[in-house]
Amino acid sequence: AYGALGDSSADCQAAFQAAIDALPAAGGVVKIPAGKFRLGQSLVINRGVVLSGAGPAQTRLYFEMTGATPCIDIITYQR
């Protein structure tokens, strides 16, 4: 629904972040289908958000980033 392609070549970070940002303030589940998803930037995840794939051998997230940037930046509290 947010345009992520599981082809391992397209950068899916914006699609993943849009799906995360669309969740209610209390959180929720982002369901990720089978595929190989490449992410070129960090994902910012708030408390209560779950990323749920199709299975350990079916859904893969590949982070291709430079420097000491975290792959997933978990925000505990927002003010």
Side-chain angles (χ1 to χ4, degrees):
Y2 292 93
L5 301 174
D7 63 1
S8 74
S9 63
D11 186 350
C12 299
Q13 188 277 341
F16 273 74
Q17 194 64 59
I20 292 165
D21 293 345
L23 293 172
V29 177
V30 174
K31 294 188 178 182
I32 308 167
K36 296 177 180 179
F37 299 90
R38 185 174 67 82
L39 295 106
Q41 296 179 15
S42 297
L43 292 176
V44 178
I45 299 178
N46 294 317
R47 186 173 71 175
V49 173
V50 174
L51 301 178
S52 177
Q58 297 178 31
T59 302
R60 302 286 176 140
L61 303 183
Y62 295 94
F63 290 87
E64 291 185 354
M65 301 169 10
T66 59
T69 305
C71 295
I72 298 177
D73 193 5
I74 300 173
I75 307 296
T76 305
Y77 297 103
Q78 285 188 331
R79 295 179 189 235

